[in-house]
């Protein structure tokens, strides 16, 4: 019998890619999504890629009554990967209460349901934003957590604390928090990728939309940071590499190979790339000269951060395989595909 994995937020950007990798590894996938920032047709696209159509249940995890109904219907869930959350740093600064209510209440409801319905294993979608602006680079998992620079980052810090406290109080609950750095790119099929609603908050979809002509120009937030070219530095990893790490983490929990009831791993390439370097990478693979303008710094942005992924490399036997240029090429292929209404 296949292990059944619940993927919350499974029609979203990272959730959809992880669902594909789970199916490829023989797992049975069930998705909960309220479609706040995604589309139901992603299920059909996952079907096209894998030949398997995952189940989609559409409701909001903040509704505990509906979550209870779900677990009574699906009483054979082996593990949960929890992606469902609002995720835009800039928006969170403007709408903090919405972020705290949505991101934390949904997590509490999931953990509460796990205890009541006997599901023991959780993989949590965390973020490098928990580190704030770190004192030392690259960042290891032991780095002290600085005050979050945005409500979004704070929801990830608080979320991790809630999970950790739950694993201390209930030894049946085991969890892995995966602290992502900056996922970019799309599936090589160009059938799924990052598709933000409205104006993109993340760099790469803004780049691809500008290249396609949907945006007049790309805004680069600040050129006066203490970095080689003055723009912010991030650790960009391909979303498919990131998705595969979730499969490894689920297998680790189900196989009882976790060392403690609560584990944390950094997921990144270990290489810092500036915003201007990322733009050059896109121009290289697309052959398009991007129109961009330097503007003022953006509230909540961290100056520079990149991962030390050696712990995940060793413990999970996982590492990134795709280059920045390869990730940019898949992002561009995806953008062209969705705008041409193909796939």
């Amino acid at each position: 019998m296949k292990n059944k994995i619940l993927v919350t937020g499974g029609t979203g950007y990272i959730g959809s890619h992880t669902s594909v990798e789970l199916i490829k590894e023989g797992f049975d996938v069930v998705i909960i999504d309220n479609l706040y920032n995604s589309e139901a047709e992603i299920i059909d696209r996952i079907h096209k890629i894998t030949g398997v159509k995952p189940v989609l249940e559409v409701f909001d995890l903040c509704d505990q009554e509906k979550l209870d109904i779900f677990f009574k219907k699906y009483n054979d869930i082996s593990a949960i990967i929890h992606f469902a959350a609002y995720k835009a740093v800039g928006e969170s600064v403007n709408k903090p209460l919405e972020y705290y209510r949505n991101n934390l209440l949904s997590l509490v409801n999931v953990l509460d349901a796990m205890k009541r319905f006997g599901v023991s294993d959780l993989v949590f979608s965390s973020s490098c934003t928990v580190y704030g602006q770190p004192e030392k680079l690259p960042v290891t998992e032991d780095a002290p957590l600085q005050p979050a620079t945005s409500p979004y980052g704070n929801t990830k810090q608080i979320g991790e604390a809630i999970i950790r406290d739950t694993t201390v109080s209930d030894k049946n609950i085991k969890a892995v928090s995966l602290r992502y750095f900056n996922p970019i790119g799309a599936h090589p099929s160009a059938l799924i990728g990052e598709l933000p609603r409205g104006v993109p908050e993340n760099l790469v979809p803004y780049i691809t939309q500008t290249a396609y002509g949907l945006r007049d120009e790309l805004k680069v937030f600040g050129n006066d940071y203490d970095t080689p070219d003055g723009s912010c530095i991030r650790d960009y990893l391909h979303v498919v590499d990131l998705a595969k790490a979730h499969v490894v983490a689920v297998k680790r929990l189900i196989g009882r190979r976790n060392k403690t009831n609560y584990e944390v791993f950094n997921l990144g390439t270990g290489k810092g790339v500036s915003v201007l370097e990322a733009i050059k990478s896109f121009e290289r693979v697309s052959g398009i000269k991007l129109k961009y303008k330097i503007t003022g710094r953006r509230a909540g942005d961290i100056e520079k951060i990149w991962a030390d992924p050696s712990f995940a490399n060793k413990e999970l036997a996982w590492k990134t395989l795709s280059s920045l240029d390869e990730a940019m090429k898949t992002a561009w292929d995806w953008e062209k595909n969705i705008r041409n209404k193909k796939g």
Side-chain angles (χ1 to χ4, degrees), residues 227-228 231-235 272-275 302-306:
T227 61
S231 64
C232 290
I233 289 178
R234 297 289 182 268
D235 185 337
V273 174
S274 76
V275 171
I302 293 165
E303 178 173 89
K304 51 190 170 186
I305 188 166
W306 62 92

Side-chain angles (χ1 to χ4, degrees), residues 195-220:
L195 185 59
R197 289 185 174 169
V199 179
E201 288 264 355
N202 293 338
L203 175 65
V204 174
Y206 212 117
I207 284 177
T208 57
Q209 288 188 17
T210 303
Y212 200 80
L214 297 175
R215 307 286 162 198
D216 291 336
E217 62 184 5
L218 171 70
K219 292 182 177 67
V220 176

Side-chain angles (χ1 to χ4, degrees), residues 119-288:
V119 181
S120 61
D121 300 337
L122 175 73
V123 177
F124 179 58
S125 165
S126 192
S127 164
C128 67
T129 56
V130 300
Y131 295 114
Q133 179 57 63
E135 294 171 357
K136 292 182 181 178
L137 292 168
V139 183
T140 68
E141 288 82 356
D142 296 327
L145 304 189
Q146 304 293 337
T149 60
S150 69
Y152 165 74
N154 206 23
T155 66
K156 293 303 184 184
Q157 283 191 0
I158 297 168
E160 284 196 16
I162 290 169
I163 295 167
R164 185 180 62 246
D165 291 346
T166 304
T167 63
V168 169
S169 69
D170 186 340
K171 299 302 181 187
N172 293 319
I173 303 288
K174 300 180 296 300
V176 171
S177 282
L178 299 178
R179 292 174 177 167
Y180 318 154
F181 281 67
N182 288 72
I184 62 170
H187 194 269
S189 66
L191 286 169
I192 55 173
E194 190 170 9
L195 185 59
R197 289 185 174 169
V199 179
E201 288 264 355
N202 293 338
L203 175 65
V204 174
Y206 212 117
I207 284 177
T208 57
Q209 288 188 17
T210 303
Y212 200 80
L214 297 175
R215 307 286 162 198
D216 291 336
E217 62 184 5
L218 171 70
K219 292 182 177 67
V220 176
F221 296 108
N223 67 342
D224 57 350
Y225 287 102
D226 182 20
T227 61
D229 62 20
S231 64
C232 290
I233 289 178
R234 297 289 182 268
D235 185 337
Y236 298 102
L237 72 157
H238 197 297
V239 67
V240 174
D241 287 334
L242 176 60
K244 289 176 179 177
H246 292 78
V247 179
V248 175
V250 161
K251 287 181 175 179
R252 181 179 178 87
L253 288 171
I254 290 175
R256 303 294 180 260
R257 295 193 298 275
N258 51 302
K259 301 288 177 66
T260 61
N261 269 26
Y262 180 64
E263 297 181 311
V264 173
F265 297 97
N266 284 341
L267 299 181
T269 66
K271 184 176 187 296
V273 174
S274 76
V275 171
L276 294 176
E277 286 174 327
I279 289 170
K280 288 173 186 170
S281 169
F282 178 81
E283 291 179 335
R284 205 161 40 238
V285 300
S286 68
I288 294 170

Side-chain angles (χ1 to χ4, degrees), residues 15 58 73 143 193 207 263 322 324:
V58 180
K73 181 178 179 182
I207 284 177
E263 297 181 311
S322 296
L324 177 64

